[in-house]
Amino acid sequence: MSTDTALPPLHAKWMDQLLGGDIPTERAVNCFDCDRIDRGGADQVPGLDYYHPETKCCTYHPLLAGFLVGRILRDNSPNAEFARAELEKRIDSGVGVIPTAIEGSPLFKMTYGKNRKALFGRTRALRCPHYLEEQGGACAIRSSRPGICSTWFCRHANGRRGIRFWNALKDLLTSIEYELSLWCVAQIAPDIKTVETLLGYLEKPDYIPEAGDIDGYMNPVRRGELWGGWRGRERDFYLESSRIVEALSWNDVVSNCGPRVLLLSGLVTDAHRALCSPPRMPGRLRVGEIRLLRYGSENCFVHACDEVLEFPRGLLEALFLFDGRPVAEARHAILKEKGLRVSDAIIERLVDFELLLPIDDLPG
């Protein structure tokens, strides 16, 4: 991730056709100057998650849909050379290499879900294989990264509205990747026995590694069952997958992916509309949950919606005067008791981050 939060070209094409408008940039994020790196200084805010300086947040091994693998194998850019070499090694080993995708490493699949909070952003051994250390953590597959990577941010400039949009978009893009990967299998048409084996593999509830997975090679019998006549030509399969997917319009995607993608696209459209619309000033507000990280003599730090917000101490204390009375009355009380003028922009930001919660307008 970097300050450029644009979607990868393939996803961007589809979302342009769906939304008909730009997606706001997550301006709170700057991964090349990450302030969440654990430097052990006294200025770190207690209770906030920090990342290892050699991993940042890149300790997730994404599942790469087969058509995205094909895009990377065709990418001749300098950064992609690193990614291609990594994928070539994986394809040669066969571990986690299936017609629909190349999966995360066995170590990642065995450990990450067991203790995500302790491992995320902290474990050098789980660093993403596409992390470019010599470029300060740039992504080698950036132009073909999956939806789960391109929609994750440690911060959201628009609070809950941003979180809602990016979560909805993540669900949509990951569903598209899964469904189109299956569609590719159907189009490229492996034999029925291979399809049966593949579907059984995908429906396994938990990952149970075989001995070869740990040592870096797939059981040849298992590999043959998964790939059928395409065994030894896995690269060609991924390249063909990328070729047929890149020709699809958004309407083609919906048609090929089915009702789940259609329903999720409606959620994304609604969340995008809310994100791009000016917030409405509520008539009445009450104070929300306040997670205080540091209470200083002048300024305070509060954690809200994955963001750390810094407030003058007087403003934080004044929030409790938003007690359900009309906003105009609360503002007057704050001015009278605290000597503070609370602007519309400040109130809108407090509402976005749910430090103030709108309540239904009541008569009188």
Side-chain angles (χ1 to χ4, degrees):
M1 195 71 64
S2 75
T3 51
D4 173 15
T5 61
L7 294 176
L10 187 60
H11 291 154
K13 178 186 76 171
W14 295 331
M15 292 305 101
D16 285 345
Q17 294 172 10
L18 169 64
L19 301 174
D22 293 337
I23 296 174
T25 299
E26 274 300 348
R27 60 187 183 277
V29 176
N30 184 351
C31 293
F32 287 120
D33 187 22
C34 177
D35 59 4
R36 291 284 183 96
I37 290 177
D38 187 353
R39 297 182 173 89
D43 58 337
Q44 290 189 176
V45 180
L48 187 62
D49 292 334
Y50 288 92
Y51 305 135
H52 191 290
E54 295 181 12
T55 68
K56 294 190 278 189
C57 64
C58 299
T59 53
Y60 185 85
H61 291 210
L63 181 146
L64 284 175
F67 61 88
L68 294 179
V69 174
R71 282 178 57 84
I72 297 166
L73 292 176
R74 290 193 294 105
D75 190 343
N76 293 318
S77 65
N79 282 354
E81 182 178 356
F82 178 87
R84 289 197 308 273
E86 176 64 28
L87 291 179
E88 293 282 1
K89 287 192 299 183
R90 288 294 304 277
I91 292 171
D92 288 340
S93 76
V95 177
V97 177
I98 60 177
T100 54
I102 291 184
E103 302 178 308
S105 72
L107 175 62
F108 175 81
K109 292 169 68 178
M110 286 187 297
T111 59
Y112 182 75
K114 302 293 190 297
N115 196 6
R116 179 189 182 281
K117 184 170 178 58
L119 297 176
F120 183 74
R122 295 179 174 84
T123 309
R124 180 67 172 75
L126 292 183
R127 191 171 74 179
C128 176
H130 309 296
Y131 184 98
L132 294 170
E133 186 169 15
E134 68 278 9
Q135 295 186 32
C139 178
I141 62 169
R142 180 162 187 78
S143 63
S144 298
R145 68 196 189 281
I148 197 166
C149 294
S150 56
T151 58
W152 189 89
F153 303 98
C154 63
R155 293 182 170 183
H156 297 87
N158 294 291
R160 186 59 60 190
R161 287 186 298 146
I163 291 172
R164 180 186 171 220
F165 170 75
W166 290 109
N167 283 344
L169 187 57
K170 175 196 69 177
D171 291 343
L172 175 60
L173 295 181
T174 52
S175 291
I176 288 172
E177 290 164 7
Y178 179 80
E179 297 296 342
L180 284 185
S181 294
L182 288 176
W183 177 79
C184 287
V185 172
Q187 298 302 304
I188 303 173
D191 59 72
I192 296 300
K193 178 174 173 53
T194 301
V195 171
E196 182 179 12
T197 304
L198 174 63
L199 293 178
Y201 181 95
L202 294 174
E203 291 168 3
K204 291 187 302 184
D206 295 305
Y207 173 65
I208 302 176
E210 296 184 359
D213 292 348
I214 307 300
D215 291 335
Y217 67 90
M218 177 178 265
N219 180 308
V221 174
R222 186 67 163 161
R223 189 169 184 172
E225 291 174 345
L226 282 167
W227 283 95
W230 286 90
R231 182 183 174 185
R233 296 191 296 139
E234 295 90 345
R235 294 167 180 80
D236 293 337
F237 189 96
Y238 291 140
L239 290 169
E240 179 64 9
S241 295
S242 70
R243 184 190 69 79
I244 62 176
V245 166
E246 288 182 21
L248 300 177
S249 68
W250 171 247
N251 288 337
D252 296 328
V253 170
V254 173
S255 176
N256 294 329
C257 290
R260 175 175 171 80
V261 163
L262 178 61
L263 293 172
L264 290 174
S265 68
L267 297 179
V268 168
T269 301
D270 184 66
H272 180 259
R273 186 183 302 112
L275 181 60
C276 296
S277 300
R280 182 181 68 87
M281 177 62 67
R284 300 168 186 262
L285 292 166
R286 65 176 177 84
V287 69
E289 180 181 356
I290 295 180
R291 181 185 169 194
L292 188 62
L293 299 176
R294 178 180 291 167
Y295 190 67
S297 58
E298 295 184 1
N299 293 330
C300 301
F301 291 87
V302 172
H303 190 265
C305 295
D306 297 325
E307 175 65 284
V308 178
L309 305 177
E310 183 178 4
F311 291 105
R313 176 172 168 172
L315 176 60
L316 185 66
E317 293 172 346
L319 295 186
F320 294 93
L321 293 172
F322 289 98
D323 53 8
R325 74 182 85 181
V327 168
E329 292 183 15
R331 281 172 149 171
H332 180 74
I334 292 171
L335 179 60
K336 182 178 179 180
E337 296 183 25
K338 303 292 184 180
L340 298 174
R341 296 184 183 275
V342 183
S343 67
D344 286 355
I346 290 176
I347 291 178
E348 289 166 1
R349 183 165 174 79
L350 292 168
V351 171
D352 266 346
F353 285 89
E354 299 184 341
L355 295 173
L356 291 178
L357 302 176
I359 62 176
D360 293 335
D361 286 342
L362 300 174

